[in-house]
Amino acid sequence: MATPSSTSLSFAIRRSEPELVAPAKPTPHEYKLLSDIDDQESLRLQIPVIQFYQYDPSMQGRDPAKVIREALKQTLVFYYPFAGRLREGANGKLMVDCTSEGVLFIEADADVTLEQFGDALQPPFPCFDELLYDAPGSAGMINCPLLLIQVTRLKCGGFIFAIRFNHVMSDAAGLKQFMSTMGEMARGLVTTSIPPVWERHLLDARDPPRVTFTHHEYDEVEANISTQLPDNLVQRSFFFGSYEVQALRKLLPPHLRQCSKFELLTACLWLCRTIAINPDPDEEVRMLCFANTRSKFNPPLPLGYYGNAIVFPAAITTARKLCQNPLGHAVELVKQAKASVTEEYVKSVASLMVIRGKRLHFPAVIGSYLISDVTKFGLDDVDFGWGKAVFGGPAKGLGVISFFIRAKYMKGEVGTLVPICLPAPVMERFAKELDNMLKGKSFFISSAM
């Protein structure tokens, strides 16, 4: 269901000048190559994550900004590549120059309480650009800080932790590992429970490179007026609790009702979104899911590996076939895409990057839809001493990308929150179609498609 928004809330924020925080101790000055999965064009973007923390009486007198800044210094001793800068080598190969220059850190105060954000914390967040200030010159890929962190103290004694990370360095699992170490340092530990592992060569292409799969996720799709992503996108969040999940399962044939919640929700959102954008019936539409491959390797990747271990398997069909079939058809397509991911699939992607060049990018057109499920990584579990976050996850959807976020709804029910980005009139059609589907009124689009 669509959730109420608190974007009308406004408040004043006073922030310090951004400062560079370096490792607490000397660290190696060396060059570290990124993997062939890491440095693809699709991952050359910045991802913002936000955490909200309540006041804790046991932490009375402790400044969260100072605690977290000190924890960051200690954490960068273990994760020293984050304190370096990206450089580009031959053939566009990215590497980290471990310079120990540091990451950007901002401390701030906001004239607002946590309670004023409402019972259901969700993207889009009010004044978000002030809660994670885009420091000038910080958002580039090359020769720029690899992390931007802002800690904003609230009037109630709670605080907001926001971080923007360069995706070529880590995926969600890697970021959670880094943030968990910060939490350990903030709580007084002197070493990390999971030592970080670089070893990016494990996800390099084999020699010689060999592509063994068809990778529709990197198809070249011409962006014309009808397919290009508009600039005037609005964002709304939709919550799926037990009621919504059960309502959707009832629309499936018996043999599919045991599908995963990810498969069910992804199929539902893909179908409703495609109906809402109303493409040409013969146009190809794609659903790409970010798949964590750590367990697909034999042996599995090392526990502390914090690089990108994700691929984007694609389900592809025409708008007509997707929209004129029941929800179960979309579920089958999603299941097939997920099932294609193996260790061999990952090696094939890495080889494709080498053979065709790292500039390959997933189709950023309105007929493509990407889903990243971060619910299992427990970003909200990160504890800096004030307990777990009351909300923790990606701060917003990004164009054609939506995230599945673990969150609480107004009555305290834990479910899946999904921020959606669409043009305003398309968003209204999407919300209506989703509502109809949840009420069992819409199984497929009319034959006009």
Side-chain angles (χ1 to χ4, degrees), residues 391-409:
F391 175 93
K396 58 184 177 180
L398 300 171
V400 298
I401 305 175
S402 286
F403 299 96
F404 286 4
I405 305 168
R406 186 173 70 185
K408 289 183 180 179
Y409 195 48

Side-chain angles (χ1 to χ4, degrees), residues 64-83:
K66 289 182 171 56
V67 169
I68 292 172
R69 183 194 290 107
E70 185 59 34
L72 176 61
K73 292 179 182 178
Q74 301 296 332
T75 301
L76 289 173
V77 174
F78 301 99
Y79 289 85
Y80 63 88
F82 273 124

Side-chain angles (χ1 to χ4, degrees), residues 119-226:
D119 293 330
L121 291 166
Q122 60 176 348
F125 294 101
C127 303
F128 175 71
D129 290 343
E130 295 295 317
L131 295 172
L132 186 58
Y133 174 63
D134 182 15
S138 69
M141 285 288 113
I142 308 299
N143 305 326
C144 289
L146 295 171
L147 294 173
L148 169 66
I149 294 173
Q150 180 170 328
V151 178
T152 304
R153 295 173 289 252
L154 304 177
K155 282 200 310 182
C156 57
F159 65 94
I160 298 171
F161 172 90
I163 183 169
R164 191 184 69 197
F165 73 102
N166 191 318
H167 207 327
V168 301
M169 289 291 291
S170 291
D171 55 16
L175 178 69
K176 165 63 186 307
Q177 186 178 309
F178 174 82
M179 290 171 58
S180 292
T181 300
M182 284 185 63
E184 291 173 340
M185 300 297 107
R187 299 195 310 273
L189 277 69
V190 296
T191 189
T192 175
S193 59
I194 302 178
V197 174
W198 186 263
E199 295 192 26
R200 303 296 171 105
H201 64 278
L202 295 173
L203 274 81
D204 277 344
R206 63 195 125 207
D207 187 17
R210 188 170 73 255
V211 177
T212 53
F213 284 78
T214 300
H215 293 285
H216 287 298
E217 61 269 39
Y218 299 107
D219 284 348
E220 294 184 11
V221 179
E222 183 178 355
N224 53 43
I225 293 177
S226 65

